[in-house]
Amino acid sequence: MGTADDEEHDWEQLNQTNWRGLGVTDPIKNVEDKWLLLPAFLKVKGLVKQHIDSFNYFVDVDIKNIVKANNKVTSDVDPRFWLKYTDIHVGFPDRTDLDAIDKSITPHECRLRDITYSAPILVTIQYTRGKNVVKRPNVNIGRLPIMLRSSKCILTGKSEAQLARMTECPLDPGGYFVVKGTEKVILVQEQLSKNRIIVETDPVKGVVQSSCTSSTHGGLKSKTYVATKKGKIYLRHNSIHEDVPIVIALKALGIQSDKEILLLTAGNTEAYKLAFSANLEDAARLGVFTRHQALEWIGTRVKVNRKVVGPRRPAWEEALEALATIVLAHVPVNGLDFRPKAIFVATMTRRVLMCMDDEKMVDDRDYVGNKRLELAGQLLALLFEDLFKTFNTNLKSAIDKVLKKPSRTNEFDAFNTMQFQGDHITSGFVRAISTGNWSLKRFKMERAGVTHVLSRLSFISALGMMTRISSQFEKTRKVSGPRALQPSQWGMLCPSDTPEGEACGLVKNLALMTHITTDVEEEPIIRIAYMLGVEDISLASGTEIYGPHTFVVNVNGTIIGLTRYPTRFVTNFRRLRRAGRFSEFVGVYVNHHHRTVHIASDGGRICRPMIIVEDGRPRVNSGHISLLKQGHLSFDDFLRQGLVEYLDVNEENDSYIALYESDIVATTTHLEIEPFTILGAVAGLIPYPHHNQSPRNTYQCAMGKQAIGAIGYNQFNRIDTLLYLSVYPQQPMVKTKTIELIGYDRLPAGQNATVAVMSYSGYDIEDALILNKASLDRGYGRCQVLRKNATLIRKYPNGTFDRLADAPLDDNGQIQKKYDIIQLDGLAGVGERVDPGDVYVNKQTPTNANDNTFTGQAAAVPYKNAPLSYKSPVAGYIDKLMVSDTENDQTLIKVLIRQTRRPELGDKFSSRHGQKGVCGLIVNQEDMPFNDQGINPDTIMNPHGFPSRMTVGKMIELLSGKAGVLSGKLQYGTAFGGSKVEDMSRILIEHGFSYAGKDMLTSGITGELLEAYVYFGPIYYQKLKHMVMDKMHARARGPRATLTRQPTEGRSREGGLRLGEMERDCLIGYGATQLLLERLMISSDKFEVNACQECGLMGYNGWCPYCKSSKQMAKLTIPYAAKLLFQELMAMNVVPRLILDDA
Amino acid sequence: MAAATFDTRKHVGVYAEHVSNVSSTDYPGHYPHEDHSWDPDQFRQKCNVQVNRLSNRSIDFDLVGVDASIANAFRRILIAEVPTIAIEQVYVWNNTSVIVDEVLAHRLGLVPLNVDPSFLEFKESPSIQATDRNTLVFKLEVTCTRNRNTPKDVTDPKMLYNNSEVLSSDLRWVPQGEQEEIFAANIPTPSNPNIVLAKLRPGQEVNMELHAVKGVGKDHAKFCAVATASYRLLPLVVLNPEKPIPPSSAHKFQKCFSPGVIRVDPVTKEVSVDEKNLRNESMSREVYRHVEFEDCCQLARVRDHFIFNVESEGFYPPERLLPESIKVMRSKIATIKKAAEGLLASKDSNADVEMAEG
């Protein structure tokens, strides 16, 4: 009876038409165009938001904290003197030229003039002058290079027209610095998270250890381990000589009773108790029972490095200080309350115990949630703190020096001393950013290669560089773990974009929607946690902490309390965050394995936005999207209204995220905004990447950065060392949404080539391409190479200076051929052709420039020629010539020389699917096959490129491209979406083509039909920067190295081609002795020496200076290198003797 | 219908995945044990050229009754060897536009010129002196200025500025020597006046002298006399009387071909091929995709029926292009003939014979 009732009830449920307004049979309503949130996000945040946000945080917040922590300068001489920094701010970039009237400056001027785009750092100081306290605002203490498009940059918030006036490209993402005219990027650095416990095992040694790197806001870093050794647990720290048995450590931290120690570490779990008991015995055996004994034990083993010689402190005091300040420095010790630190050590111990019991409890170092990314702002903050501290010590010693003088004529004003402090801060910043060496002794930091020159090869290469993350692991180590693709990278780091070879997997790239957090103050967060019912940890005992229903609450790795209702707590906490009561970047999640709740507000976490799902329905609906489309809502409004939220990796793993709306079930918490955001900006260029074999996408990510195209709207105003530009770039026929979002359609790097996939002529093996000569005649693949040549017109300390001269006349009164483009000002005319060897800047330098004793008239000194002459074997044209001043008033001349190149045999091309190839043959148009419409292909690609590469995406690109051409529309190849093959085939059929994209071709040579149908249509092809003209090299005779007289090496030195060791082995094996002799000596560095048969030493002119005779002299030919070796040996008191014999 | 049978001699078979019988025999039109010796009368009867469509810029004509090699020879000559005039040397006096000299020169070279090449001689190499017999001189002098009397809110650069674009019509011919009389009837100009060569803004100017010479398409595509010259073979659809199309799918069958190729009787739904529109068939092989039409029809193309499409963009009116190509072909034949005769004459001397360039 009851069962029947139940059944009936079930049926009723199913038949109910209205469940939240939806019937069971109603189709699931999709939020149309929810991807529009992505452009909205990029509009607010930009493509390189992580760099800019980090820098903004530094100049707006962090710099103030640093000054607050170091705000007082006192004097050892005069105890009444003090100087206080009350405020600091960074101004806007301005011109440093003293005589300038208009102080405004643009980044582009800095690039052109080789100066630094920097802004003054201004402080407000208060100090004593005599008996008065003086306040001075806006005191300049140095200059800070400003990140482009940051809050301090003049480009921020400017319209396209305003940017155009400043010759700046609106599509340029910013996020880099201009230092001494070069664009420098501070790459994102990946590190293990700080202040968190990580448990690892070494299965070989059987060691389990939990470690924690403490980092406090003073830059002090130390690592504390709790590790097993022979079954027992020890605490290990650099500042303590010996491993401290864990029980002694805990006793020293104020947990005296063994019972309490056992409760805090092992809790009530029998297995843990058993494993731990040995440690208790260990402490007893060492005779440590009380806290004092424990401190004494540790105190005798603490490394003391004290500079101040004072009375020696007792050992237990040393131990107390070490435990309070050095060991686990991030856990606060207020007064002498060691309880929180003791619990932290106990937790570390418990984690070791847990892991000893169950190996699965180890942490994964490579898990993205355990990583923190260090950005420009953090690195600059460290640098600034170091420089500021040095500045203050210098200031202090300067003040002391003045105050030491017993009688002064006028009252001492510290402001004047400050003005004479030099440019320590300015030069410190400039040096660090331009060399990339962050060597901060104060923070034990020694890093090289932090900054890189922004690659401007193409727009994509610049963009790709801004999203790059470099790992701190050394590249030589052959471990696969850190290099492997982590499941937790989903949506955060691009799965495709990583280099091949040694840095594979260590250098990563951010995905499209990722954001990196900056620090959020944690005190208010802790207060909120307490308000939401968290009980203070200091009040809890071991029984409570490890009770069956309690969860420990952590804030940034520090244990703050307990809660019995973790789910409720987390829900309430999230509700507050969604309501905007605190920063949206504070993450919270429950770890059920460790029975903890973690709240994270530290900087450097990777996070991304997601749509919130409540009760099985996404909170974003079509209404919101239409408001967004109309521009009434921005991304920030979505955040503020609690429709979307940021999730970091840890919180993401605590959520149930639906990829599509149809996947939403009752337990779903979030909805992805758009699946293709899993890819980064560079991988986003690939059409249909989800149809490709995955390494192909990775190859394309590397090659997309080498493609020649447009690099910026200001490309014709730039004077870069090397600039590759495409003459006729086209936007791809098959676009992706990413392409539109990043602006690749406006700054493209490639052309839509009509491709026939067939074999032709045999010159297309090994991926070689056949090109149509008529296409090249009409401008396909044409590119420009612009090279900068710069020189300084110097003024020397002795009063002499360089000068420019007009073209000299030869004996006949004619201008020499190589000077024919020099005009009266000594510079080549713009637009002139520069032939190899031509002089384009006729500079002359004084012969006595370095002679400091010279006092004569500067005009009367003799000059020698120091012209700039053109080295390339192919003629170029003068594109631009700039004469300007650098920061230190030297005249700077930059000459841009241009070559226009059409594709030739051996130039490298690539499609967007990692399919590169060189041009193998250029065929006349009449020899090319043609289809019924009379269309010739621009390129013929060999079909053997497909089976092993499995780039199905390329085939679909061709199909979509062809359909697009026929219907006059651009098609989409967006990842996990894009135009469907079915639809494309339908368009082809409608236009009278075969559904498969295969055309019937006629051979251009025989005029007969080809027996096979040929896959024929447009594919976007990129021309890569590797061109034959830059590589081609051969030599018959040429220069030799001075020391060894052997031919030079390398193309740039017109070097020879080396007959290497392996080639030598072949000739030896073959027995070609005479050939060997010719290659290795006669054609290289043969040298005739006179050797004495008597003493075996070398002489000269048939005379042996050792034997003082010419009787036994013989002439022989040896390599000059051998002669050099003998002489060098003789210089080291080793006598090599030649023993000659008739062969 | 007589044509509606497939014959490997006459037809090229078109199948779902391949094309059959693409080539004719080693001696086209000859078959073993049959007498097909060349007969001018028979050839005259068989060979036929018929113009189907002629417009200012393009021509469609049928060439019937020749081998593919002959038809292809005309196509190749049209593309590569019919001489035309194009700009070859550009002397830049001043160019302050955003387009750099080489690119602008390249663009200028590609401008088709309306000049009869027969009035000029080839300038065999750049070192040969330019004369009025081999070189035409053009001037391009354009300066952009602000247009003072435009209303305030105008943003169109064409109204804001004078000469905001350098067009092909800005090319000015400068007659040299006797050229004024020779070209009096037909002043050399670009054949399309609206080609944008560069864009200018106030203060920018272009001032250059251009030398145009005679050349052929195989040297550079700018000398190509045609925009396209290509042909296709006449399509053929052979219905199988054994397996008629069921009336229910007649319209579906019709849709598998280009519009107008297949007729469907409105009453009986009987399917037939419209011989008149058959040439419009695009050969998409769509019929072969549908299982129900298997063996219902056979696609083919007629081996010796070439439907030419030639587009002209330069001097030659489209109808003059084929005769021009024949002229080139005849001169080539003349050269070969002379050389062959020379070879015969000096059979014993065993010496090489100079082949004069035609």
Side-chain angles (χ1 to χ4, degrees), chain A residues 728 773 777 784 898 900 926-927 932 934 989 992 995 998 1000 1004-1005 1007 1011 1013, chain B residues 14-15 17 19 22 72 75-76 100 102 106-107 218-219 221 230-231 282 285 289 301:
Chain A
Y728 297 112
K773 180 170 167 287
D777 289 343
Q784 292 177 337
R898 149 174 46 91
T900 304
E926 66 268 21
D927 290 335
D932 278 5
I989 294 163
Y995 75 103
K998 292 198 270 191
M1000 203 187 288
I1005 299 171
E1011 275 196 75
Y1013 301 118
Chain B
V14 175
Y15 298 92
E17 291 302 335
V19 187
V22 288
N72 192 35
R75 184 192 70 87
R76 291 170 60 92
V100 297
E102 302 96 291
H106 172 234
R107 294 176 70 87
K218 62 182 169 189
D219 285 341
S230 80
Y231 60 76
S282 70
R285 288 103 65 200
R289 259 182 88 201
R301 310 194 87 154

Short mmCIF file of all heavy atoms in Angstrom, two decimals, chain A residues 728 773 777 784 898 900 926-927 932 934 989 992 995 998 1000 1004-1005 1007 1011 1013, chain B residues 14-15 17 19 22 72 75-76 100 102 106-107 218-219 221 230-231 282 285 289 301:
data_model
loop_
_atom_site.label_atom_id
_atom_site.label_comp_id
_atom_site.label_asym_id
_atom_site.label_seq_id
_atom_site.Cartn_x
_atom_site.Cartn_y
_atom_site.Cartn_z
N TYR A 728 51.78 43.54 -47.73
CA TYR A 728 50.32 43.43 -47.86
C TYR A 728 49.77 42.40 -46.88
O TYR A 728 49.41 41.29 -47.29
CB TYR A 728 49.94 43.04 -49.29
CG TYR A 728 50.34 44.06 -50.34
CD1 TYR A 728 51.33 43.78 -51.26
CD2 TYR A 728 49.70 45.28 -50.39
CE1 TYR A 728 51.69 44.70 -52.23
CE2 TYR A 728 50.06 46.21 -51.35
CZ TYR A 728 51.04 45.92 -52.27
OH TYR A 728 51.39 46.84 -53.21
N LYS A 773 54.81 31.97 -59.43
CA LYS A 773 55.64 33.16 -59.67
C LYS A 773 54.77 34.41 -59.87
O LYS A 773 55.13 35.49 -59.38
CB LYS A 773 56.50 32.94 -60.92
CG LYS A 773 57.37 34.12 -61.25
CD LYS A 773 58.39 33.80 -62.32
CE LYS A 773 59.01 35.07 -62.84
NZ LYS A 773 58.10 35.86 -63.68
N ASP A 777 54.96 38.02 -58.14
CA ASP A 777 55.03 39.27 -58.91
C ASP A 777 53.98 40.25 -58.42
O ASP A 777 54.19 41.45 -58.43
CB ASP A 777 54.79 39.00 -60.40
CG ASP A 777 55.94 38.28 -61.04
OD1 ASP A 777 57.03 38.27 -60.44
OD2 ASP A 777 55.76 37.72 -62.14
N GLN A 784 59.33 43.68 -45.79
CA GLN A 784 60.37 44.68 -45.64
C GLN A 784 61.18 44.36 -44.40
O GLN A 784 60.63 43.96 -43.38
CB GLN A 784 59.75 46.07 -45.48
CG GLN A 784 59.07 46.53 -46.73
CD GLN A 784 58.39 47.86 -46.55
OE1 GLN A 784 58.06 48.25 -45.44
NE2 GLN A 784 58.18 48.54 -47.63
N ARG A 898 66.30 50.16 -45.13
CA ARG A 898 65.21 49.25 -45.48
C ARG A 898 65.57 48.39 -46.68
O ARG A 898 66.20 48.86 -47.62
CB ARG A 898 63.98 50.11 -45.78
CG ARG A 898 63.01 49.55 -46.80
CD ARG A 898 61.78 50.39 -46.91
NE ARG A 898 62.04 51.81 -46.99
CZ ARG A 898 62.20 52.50 -48.11
NH1 ARG A 898 62.13 51.92 -49.27
NH2 ARG A 898 62.44 53.79 -48.09
N THR A 900 63.46 45.70 -49.28
CA THR A 900 62.17 45.09 -49.61
C THR A 900 62.47 43.78 -50.30
O THR A 900 63.24 43.75 -51.25
CB THR A 900 61.35 46.01 -50.52
OG1 THR A 900 61.21 47.26 -49.86
CG2 THR A 900 59.98 45.45 -50.77
N GLU A 926 51.69 29.88 -65.99
CA GLU A 926 51.12 29.02 -67.03
C GLU A 926 51.38 27.54 -66.75
O GLU A 926 50.69 26.69 -67.28
CB GLU A 926 51.65 29.43 -68.41
CG GLU A 926 53.13 29.21 -68.65
CD GLU A 926 53.98 30.41 -68.30
OE1 GLU A 926 53.50 31.26 -67.52
OE2 GLU A 926 55.12 30.50 -68.78
N ASP A 927 52.37 27.23 -65.92
CA ASP A 927 52.66 25.84 -65.60
C ASP A 927 51.85 25.34 -64.41
O ASP A 927 51.84 24.15 -64.11
CB ASP A 927 54.15 25.67 -65.27
CG ASP A 927 55.01 25.82 -66.51
OD1 ASP A 927 54.48 25.57 -67.61
OD2 ASP A 927 56.17 26.21 -66.38
N ASP A 932 38.20 24.81 -63.00
CA ASP A 932 37.24 25.19 -64.03
C ASP A 932 37.02 26.68 -64.11
O ASP A 932 36.70 27.24 -65.14
CB ASP A 932 35.89 24.50 -63.77
CG ASP A 932 35.89 23.07 -64.30
OD1 ASP A 932 36.98 22.64 -64.75
OD2 ASP A 932 34.85 22.42 -64.25
N GLY A 934 39.31 28.80 -63.69
CA GLY A 934 40.55 29.43 -64.15
C GLY A 934 41.42 29.91 -63.02
O GLY A 934 42.32 30.73 -63.23
N ILE A 989 28.29 23.27 -51.95
CA ILE A 989 27.35 22.65 -52.90
C ILE A 989 26.49 23.72 -53.55
O ILE A 989 26.28 23.73 -54.76
CB ILE A 989 26.48 21.59 -52.19
CG1 ILE A 989 27.35 20.44 -51.72
CG2 ILE A 989 25.40 21.08 -53.11
CD1 ILE A 989 26.68 19.57 -50.69
N GLY A 992 28.01 25.27 -56.43
CA GLY A 992 28.42 24.41 -57.54
C GLY A 992 29.76 23.74 -57.35
O GLY A 992 30.37 23.33 -58.33
N TYR A 995 31.17 18.96 -52.38
CA TYR A 995 31.00 19.15 -50.94
C TYR A 995 32.30 18.94 -50.19
O TYR A 995 32.51 19.46 -49.11
CB TYR A 995 29.94 18.17 -50.41
CG TYR A 995 30.45 16.76 -50.29
CD1 TYR A 995 30.80 16.23 -49.05
CD2 TYR A 995 30.62 15.95 -51.42
CE1 TYR A 995 31.31 14.95 -48.94
CE2 TYR A 995 31.11 14.68 -51.32
CZ TYR A 995 31.45 14.18 -50.08
OH TYR A 995 31.95 12.92 -49.97
N LYS A 998 37.04 19.37 -52.96
CA LYS A 998 38.00 18.94 -53.97
C LYS A 998 37.56 19.42 -55.34
O LYS A 998 36.40 19.27 -55.72
CB LYS A 998 38.15 17.43 -53.94
CG LYS A 998 38.83 16.96 -52.67
CD LYS A 998 39.36 15.56 -52.79
CE LYS A 998 38.34 14.53 -52.38
NZ LYS A 998 38.96 13.20 -52.27
N MET A 1000 38.23 19.78 -59.66
CA MET A 1000 38.80 19.08 -60.81
C MET A 1000 39.79 20.03 -61.45
O MET A 1000 39.43 21.12 -61.88
CB MET A 1000 37.67 18.75 -61.80
CG MET A 1000 37.98 17.60 -62.71
SD MET A 1000 36.72 17.41 -63.94
CE MET A 1000 35.37 16.78 -62.99
N GLY A 1004 48.62 22.56 -66.01
CA GLY A 1004 49.04 23.69 -66.83
C GLY A 1004 50.09 23.30 -67.84
O GLY A 1004 50.35 24.03 -68.78
N ILE A 1005 50.70 22.14 -67.65
CA ILE A 1005 51.79 21.74 -68.54
C ILE A 1005 51.25 20.95 -69.72
O ILE A 1005 51.50 21.27 -70.86
CB ILE A 1005 52.84 20.92 -67.76
CG1 ILE A 1005 53.42 21.80 -66.65
CG2 ILE A 1005 53.94 20.45 -68.69
CD1 ILE A 1005 54.29 21.06 -65.68
N GLY A 1007 47.88 20.37 -70.24
CA GLY A 1007 46.58 20.86 -70.66
C GLY A 1007 45.48 19.85 -70.49
O GLY A 1007 44.33 20.11 -70.84
N GLU A 1011 44.04 13.29 -63.02
CA GLU A 1011 43.23 12.10 -62.75
C GLU A 1011 42.57 12.12 -61.39
O GLU A 1011 41.58 11.46 -61.16
CB GLU A 1011 44.07 10.84 -62.90
CG GLU A 1011 44.12 10.40 -64.35
CD GLU A 1011 44.61 8.98 -64.49
OE1 GLU A 1011 43.84 8.07 -64.20
OE2 GLU A 1011 45.78 8.81 -64.89
N TYR A 1013 41.02 14.31 -58.00
CA TYR A 1013 40.48 15.61 -57.58
C TYR A 1013 41.41 16.16 -56.52
O TYR A 1013 41.99 15.42 -55.72
CB TYR A 1013 39.08 15.45 -57.01
CG TYR A 1013 38.12 14.84 -58.00
CD1 TYR A 1013 37.50 13.63 -57.76
CD2 TYR A 1013 37.85 15.50 -59.19
CE1 TYR A 1013 36.64 13.06 -58.67
CE2 TYR A 1013 37.00 14.94 -60.12
CZ TYR A 1013 36.40 13.74 -59.86
OH TYR A 1013 35.57 13.20 -60.79
N VAL B 14 34.10 11.09 -65.59
CA VAL B 14 34.15 11.77 -64.30
C VAL B 14 33.46 10.88 -63.28
O VAL B 14 32.28 10.61 -63.39
CB VAL B 14 33.47 13.15 -64.38
CG1 VAL B 14 33.41 13.79 -63.00
CG2 VAL B 14 34.20 14.05 -65.35
N TYR B 15 34.22 10.36 -62.31
CA TYR B 15 33.67 9.47 -61.30
C TYR B 15 33.75 10.13 -59.93
O TYR B 15 34.28 11.24 -59.79
CB TYR B 15 34.44 8.14 -61.32
CG TYR B 15 34.31 7.43 -62.64
CD1 TYR B 15 35.24 7.63 -63.64
CD2 TYR B 15 33.23 6.58 -62.89
CE1 TYR B 15 35.11 7.02 -64.87
CE2 TYR B 15 33.10 5.96 -64.10
CZ TYR B 15 34.03 6.16 -65.10
OH TYR B 15 33.90 5.55 -66.31
N GLU B 17 35.52 9.52 -57.25
CA GLU B 17 36.83 9.76 -56.65
C GLU B 17 37.96 9.89 -57.66
O GLU B 17 39.10 10.06 -57.27
CB GLU B 17 37.15 8.66 -55.63
CG GLU B 17 36.29 8.70 -54.37
CD GLU B 17 36.36 10.02 -53.61
OE1 GLU B 17 37.37 10.75 -53.73
OE2 GLU B 17 35.38 10.33 -52.90
N VAL B 19 39.12 10.73 -62.11
CA VAL B 19 38.80 11.10 -63.48
C VAL B 19 39.48 10.06 -64.36
O VAL B 19 40.65 9.75 -64.15
CB VAL B 19 39.35 12.50 -63.81
CG1 VAL B 19 38.87 12.95 -65.18
CG2 VAL B 19 38.94 13.50 -62.75
N VAL B 22 42.06 10.57 -69.01
CA VAL B 22 42.34 12.00 -69.14
C VAL B 22 43.16 12.30 -70.39
O VAL B 22 42.97 13.34 -71.02
CB VAL B 22 43.08 12.55 -67.90
CG1 VAL B 22 42.16 12.64 -66.72
CG2 VAL B 22 44.29 11.72 -67.57
N ASN B 72 45.89 24.14 -74.92
CA ASN B 72 46.72 24.58 -73.80
C ASN B 72 47.81 25.51 -74.28
O ASN B 72 48.16 26.47 -73.60
CB ASN B 72 47.33 23.35 -73.11
CG ASN B 72 47.96 23.70 -71.79
OD1 ASN B 72 47.44 24.58 -71.09
ND2 ASN B 72 49.05 23.06 -71.45
N ARG B 75 46.40 28.87 -74.38
CA ARG B 75 46.22 29.39 -73.03
C ARG B 75 47.54 29.86 -72.46
O ARG B 75 47.66 30.96 -71.92
CB ARG B 75 45.64 28.28 -72.14
CG ARG B 75 45.31 28.71 -70.73
CD ARG B 75 45.03 27.51 -69.84
NE ARG B 75 46.24 26.74 -69.58
CZ ARG B 75 47.08 26.99 -68.58
NH1 ARG B 75 46.85 27.99 -67.76
NH2 ARG B 75 48.17 26.25 -68.42
N ARG B 76 48.56 29.06 -72.63
CA ARG B 76 49.88 29.41 -72.09
C ARG B 76 50.44 30.64 -72.75
O ARG B 76 51.02 31.52 -72.09
CB ARG B 76 50.84 28.23 -72.27
CG ARG B 76 50.52 27.03 -71.42
CD ARG B 76 51.34 25.84 -71.81
NE ARG B 76 52.78 26.11 -71.66
CZ ARG B 76 53.46 25.84 -70.55
NH1 ARG B 76 52.84 25.31 -69.52
NH2 ARG B 76 54.74 26.12 -70.47
N VAL B 100 56.33 53.30 -49.20
CA VAL B 100 57.73 53.50 -49.53
C VAL B 100 57.96 53.33 -51.03
O VAL B 100 57.12 52.77 -51.74
CB VAL B 100 58.63 52.53 -48.73
CG1 VAL B 100 58.51 52.81 -47.24
CG2 VAL B 100 58.32 51.10 -49.06
N GLU B 102 59.81 51.50 -53.05
CA GLU B 102 59.79 50.22 -53.75
C GLU B 102 58.37 49.69 -53.90
O GLU B 102 58.01 49.13 -54.94
CB GLU B 102 60.59 49.15 -52.99
CG GLU B 102 62.03 49.46 -52.73
CD GLU B 102 62.21 50.04 -51.35
OE1 GLU B 102 61.75 51.19 -51.16
OE2 GLU B 102 62.79 49.39 -50.49
N HIS B 106 56.33 49.11 -57.28
CA HIS B 106 55.73 47.81 -57.57
C HIS B 106 54.28 47.97 -57.97
O HIS B 106 53.82 47.38 -58.95
CB HIS B 106 55.88 46.92 -56.33
CG HIS B 106 55.15 45.62 -56.43
ND1 HIS B 106 54.26 45.22 -55.46
CD2 HIS B 106 55.18 44.66 -57.36
CE1 HIS B 106 53.77 44.05 -55.82
NE2 HIS B 106 54.31 43.69 -56.96
N ARG B 107 53.57 48.81 -57.23
CA ARG B 107 52.15 49.02 -57.53
C ARG B 107 51.99 49.68 -58.90
O ARG B 107 51.09 49.34 -59.65
CB ARG B 107 51.50 49.89 -56.45
CG ARG B 107 51.44 49.23 -55.09
CD ARG B 107 50.89 50.19 -54.06
NE ARG B 107 49.48 50.46 -54.25
CZ ARG B 107 48.50 49.73 -53.75
NH1 ARG B 107 48.80 48.69 -53.01
NH2 ARG B 107 47.24 50.02 -53.98
N LYS B 218 55.88 36.02 -69.01
CA LYS B 218 56.74 35.08 -68.30
C LYS B 218 57.86 35.79 -67.57
O LYS B 218 58.46 35.22 -66.66
CB LYS B 218 57.28 34.00 -69.24
CG LYS B 218 58.13 34.48 -70.37
CD LYS B 218 58.53 33.28 -71.23
CE LYS B 218 59.17 33.77 -72.53
NZ LYS B 218 59.38 32.66 -73.46
N ASP B 219 58.14 37.05 -67.98
CA ASP B 219 59.15 37.82 -67.24
C ASP B 219 58.59 38.33 -65.93
O ASP B 219 59.22 38.29 -64.89
CB ASP B 219 59.61 39.02 -68.07
CG ASP B 219 60.54 38.57 -69.18
OD1 ASP B 219 61.06 37.46 -69.07
OD2 ASP B 219 60.71 39.33 -70.15
N ALA B 221 54.50 39.19 -64.02
CA ALA B 221 53.05 39.11 -64.19
C ALA B 221 52.45 40.43 -64.65
O ALA B 221 51.34 40.46 -65.16
CB ALA B 221 52.40 38.67 -62.88
N SER B 230 41.68 30.73 -69.30
CA SER B 230 41.61 29.32 -68.93
C SER B 230 40.49 28.67 -69.72
O SER B 230 39.71 29.34 -70.39
CB SER B 230 41.36 29.17 -67.43
OG SER B 230 40.00 29.36 -67.16
N TYR B 231 40.49 27.37 -69.66
CA TYR B 231 39.42 26.66 -70.34
C TYR B 231 38.95 25.52 -69.47
O TYR B 231 39.61 25.16 -68.50
CB TYR B 231 39.89 26.13 -71.70
CG TYR B 231 41.06 25.18 -71.65
CD1 TYR B 231 40.88 23.86 -71.25
CD2 TYR B 231 42.32 25.60 -72.02
CE1 TYR B 231 41.94 22.99 -71.19
CE2 TYR B 231 43.40 24.73 -71.98
CZ TYR B 231 43.20 23.42 -71.56
OH TYR B 231 44.25 22.55 -71.51
N SER B 282 28.57 22.64 -63.35
CA SER B 282 29.83 22.94 -62.68
C SER B 282 30.61 21.70 -62.31
O SER B 282 31.70 21.81 -61.76
CB SER B 282 29.56 23.77 -61.43
OG SER B 282 28.93 22.96 -60.46
N ARG B 285 29.85 16.89 -58.92
CA ARG B 285 29.75 15.44 -58.60
C ARG B 285 28.78 15.19 -57.44
O ARG B 285 28.95 14.21 -56.70
CB ARG B 285 31.12 14.86 -58.25
CG ARG B 285 32.06 14.69 -59.38
CD ARG B 285 33.11 15.73 -59.44
NE ARG B 285 34.03 15.69 -58.32
CZ ARG B 285 34.79 16.70 -57.93
NH1 ARG B 285 34.70 17.85 -58.58
NH2 ARG B 285 35.58 16.58 -56.93
N ARG B 289 27.00 11.45 -54.53
CA ARG B 289 26.94 11.38 -53.08
C ARG B 289 25.70 10.63 -52.60
O ARG B 289 25.65 10.18 -51.48
CB ARG B 289 26.90 12.79 -52.48
CG ARG B 289 28.22 13.25 -51.95
CD ARG B 289 28.04 14.60 -51.35
NE ARG B 289 27.66 14.55 -49.95
CZ ARG B 289 27.07 15.53 -49.31
NH1 ARG B 289 26.76 16.63 -49.95
NH2 ARG B 289 26.77 15.41 -48.04
N ARG B 301 33.18 14.46 -69.61
CA ARG B 301 33.48 15.73 -70.26
C ARG B 301 33.96 15.40 -71.66
O ARG B 301 34.58 14.36 -71.89
CB ARG B 301 34.57 16.50 -69.52
CG ARG B 301 34.29 16.62 -68.03
CD ARG B 301 35.17 17.66 -67.39
NE ARG B 301 34.54 18.95 -67.48
CZ ARG B 301 34.78 19.95 -66.62
NH1 ARG B 301 35.64 19.80 -65.63
NH2 ARG B 301 34.16 21.10 -66.77
#
